[in-house]
Amino acid sequence: MTRALPGEWEKVYSHPVYYAETFVDPERFRGTCYRAANWLDLGVTTGRGKADCTHVANRSLKRVLGLPLTPAFRGALRGVA
């Protein structure tokens, strides 16, 4: 799926994608498939959600995993050729 993602994304949105990330709830899953596919463990969320207004954790903490989709993803994300 991650091999097809950059091409399909660009077809639909007319913009490249260089990096993918996902969230895994460690209370329910270990993320074994992601780790086996070389996804990088980036840390843990704060448990506040994307529409947080109170700055207080109100959701379970999730593991954040990321995967570069191109070898030069750092430069691409910074806008450097």
Side-chain angles (χ1 to χ4, degrees), residues 27-55:
E27 293 177 13
R28 300 180 62 205
F29 305 103
R30 293 179 55 197
T32 305
C33 292
Y34 289 109
R35 294 171 200 275
N38 295 322
W39 286 65
L40 306 170
D41 190 337
L42 302 175
V44 181
T45 64
T46 59
R48 296 192 330 228
K50 64 182 179 183
D52 173 48
C53 295
T54 62
H55 305 291

Side-chain angles (χ1 to χ4, degrees), residues 42-77:
L42 302 175
V44 181
T45 64
T46 59
R48 296 192 330 228
K50 64 182 179 183
D52 173 48
C53 295
T54 62
H55 305 291
V56 176
N58 59 7
R59 290 170 171 70
S60 62
L61 302 181
K62 308 287 190 306
R63 298 288 326 163
V64 182
L65 302 167
L67 182 72
L69 299 175
T70 179
F73 75 97
R74 283 185 180 93
L77 291 174

